Amino acid sequence: MKKIFQLTLVATLSVASWGGLVVIAESDPTAVTSTVADVVTYDFNDREVGAQDPFSYDFGGILGTYTNVNISGSNNYGGVGMSVYPTAHGTTSYTLSLSEEVNYFGMWWAAGDPGNLLQFYLNDSLVASYSTAAAFAALPDSFKGNFHYIPEVNTNEFYAYLNFHGTDGTVFNKIVFSNSGNSGFESDNHAILKAADPGDGIDVSETPEPSTFALIGSAAIALGILRRRRA
């Protein structure tokens, strides 16, 4: 696996210490789906706008159940192909529970906020965490802007397809998506695969040390309030 860009500007700590998670961004800034072979992807286009709790999707024999999700209509911030997408706006967090253990999850990360946090559980045990603040440090400016909204908008925020791989035997069957403040957590095209190996792309695995993350999270709350309230 090659590292195309080095992580800079933020004091870091390997996310492996959180449980063996490697995160690879697709190298194409316009990518909205994973290039990992054989993944099953859910685009949420069968959902209605508004609170959807609970609902399920069959990821190729692995049942995924979403709880506490708000479905948003396409807007400047998210929605591939002008479609609906899940958010954590209006809720503290939402959860995807899986009927089997897996080591891979993918998502199109939209209108990225440094306060977005994903927590990966095996049953009730936390096995890995990922703050998207790490992606801010690793991705170049070519990933800023929503290429899938015409004309291109929101050019100060990151958009990237992120692939999450459990390594060294790390598996999970529950993912919690949360955000600090009211700035939202937009994503789309969730993908699941029972077993997958990391491939080429931009390594955005590393996570800021706790003190650094606390500062970033506080800033994210303030910036989110000033920037907008998302529907």
Side-chain angles (χ1 to χ4, degrees):
M1 179 180 69
K2 60 188 178 184
K3 282 192 177 183
I4 298 176
F5 299 96
Q6 294 295 320
L7 190 65
T8 57
L9 302 180
V10 179
T12 61
L13 151 76
S14 172
V15 80
S17 65
W18 294 72
L21 190 71
V22 171
V23 188
I24 305 297
E26 296 290 339
S27 56
D28 180 359
T30 68
V32 295
T33 56
S34 176
T35 60
V36 174
D38 302 321
V39 300
V40 179
T41 301
Y42 182 34
D43 61 14
F44 298 91
N45 291 345
D46 60 341
R47 309 312 308 174
E48 298 291 334
V49 172
Q52 302 280 303
D53 187 26
F55 63 89
S56 297
Y57 183 76
D58 183 358
F59 289 96
I62 299 173
L63 187 66
T65 301
Y66 291 86
T67 54
N68 205 35
V69 180
N70 184 64
I71 299 295
S72 175
S74 175
N75 54 30
N76 292 5
Y77 310 113
V80 174
M82 308 298 287
S83 67
V84 300
Y85 64 93
T87 76
H89 181 63
T91 64
T92 302
S93 64
Y94 73 89
T95 300
L96 167 60
S97 300
L98 302 167
S99 61
E100 294 185 31
E101 298 171 5
V102 301
N103 81 342
Y104 171 84
F105 169 73
M107 69 174 188
W108 185 56
W109 177 50
D113 287 309
N116 295 159
L117 178 68
L118 294 99
Q119 295 172 299
F120 297 81
Y121 288 83
L122 180 58
N123 300 320
D124 293 324
S125 297
L126 180 67
V127 297
S129 299
Y130 183 75
S131 162
T132 56
F136 271 66
L139 293 173
D141 285 348
S142 58
F143 282 79
K144 288 183 176 179
N146 188 348
F147 296 99
H148 304 281
Y149 194 96
I150 305 300
E152 182 184 345
V153 292
N154 211 31
T155 54
N156 64 327
E157 293 188 297
F158 285 101
Y159 292 75
Y161 199 91
L162 303 181
N163 299 287
F164 298 83
H165 298 267
T167 60
D168 300 322
T170 299
V171 294
F172 47 88
N173 57 13
K174 182 171 69 174
I175 307 168
V176 177
F177 306 75
S178 60
N179 66 296
S180 58
N182 70 342
S183 56
F185 189 159
E186 292 85 358
S187 67
D188 206 347
N189 288 354
H190 290 184
I192 292 292
L193 188 63
K194 190 172 181 63
D197 294 322
D200 290 340
I202 303 170
D203 189 339
V204 293
S205 296
E206 297 189 19
T207 300
E209 295 197 30
S211 59
T212 304
F213 174 70
L215 291 172
I216 292 172
S218 298
I221 294 173
L223 288 172
I225 292 171
L226 289 173
R227 183 180 59 197
R228 64 185 181 278
R229 288 188 64 88
R230 291 183 180 154

